Amino acid sequence: MKQNKPEILLTIETAIGGGSYGIFDKNGEIDSMCNHSRRSKAEDLLSDISSLLKRNGINKNEINKIIFSNGPGSQTGIRIGTATAKGLASALNCLSFEISVLNALVFKAKQKGTIQ
């Protein structure tokens, strides 16, 4: 019998500030983190994602989908996040999708019932 791979979604947002990352399953958010470092996102991105997965006992090969932000925000941050997300998706043989930060904020606001 073939076992179903768990639905694990990795989110990468690098357009704003130091970036933020999250992991989700079919039940919602498992964990997330924000990078408040003054160092470059490029230096922290992969180690932050690795730490997030490790502290939740998730193997990188369990990731099915990666969603990453395409702005608006820092052009350098967007390029770093896009390249990392697409590279990881290729290496892990999973799907990747880009989404506007503004669309993500509206989606979250609709869930909470407030849009300003």
Side-chain angles (χ1 to χ4, degrees):
M1 176 194 289
K2 183 180 176 184
Q3 284 187 330
N4 289 337
K5 188 175 175 181
E7 288 282 325
I8 301 293
L9 169 70
L10 171 67
T11 61
I12 301 173
E13 197 300 299
T14 56
I16 301 171
S20 59
Y21 324 103
I23 46 177
F24 297 78
D25 65 11
K26 65 181 180 181
N27 298 314
E29 184 178 335
I30 296 171
D31 198 2
S32 62
M33 70 183 299
C34 292
N35 180 348
H36 299 291
S37 172
R38 293 180 182 253
R39 293 187 315 175
S40 164
K41 290 175 196 68
E43 294 175 21
D44 297 328
L45 183 54
L46 289 175
S47 64
D48 284 350
I49 291 170
S50 180
S51 295
L52 186 63
L53 294 172
K54 185 175 182 178
R55 78 178 181 210
N56 289 282
I58 297 172
N59 184 294
K60 66 181 182 246
N61 294 314
E62 294 179 77
I63 297 170
N64 303 83
K65 295 177 187 135
I66 300 174
I67 299 198
F68 60 96
S69 65
N70 63 2
S74 159
Q75 285 301 107
T76 300
I78 293 166
R79 286 192 301 269
I80 291 167
T82 298
T84 301
K86 288 183 175 186
L88 282 173
S90 178
L92 300 174
N93 195 30
C94 68
L95 300 172
S96 67
F97 303 94
E98 58 186 83
I99 186 171
S100 157
V101 173
L102 297 175
N103 285 342
L105 291 171
V106 168
F107 177 78
K108 187 66 173 174
K110 282 182 180 177
Q111 287 184 321
K112 291 186 175 195
T114 57
I115 299 177
Q116 297 180 359

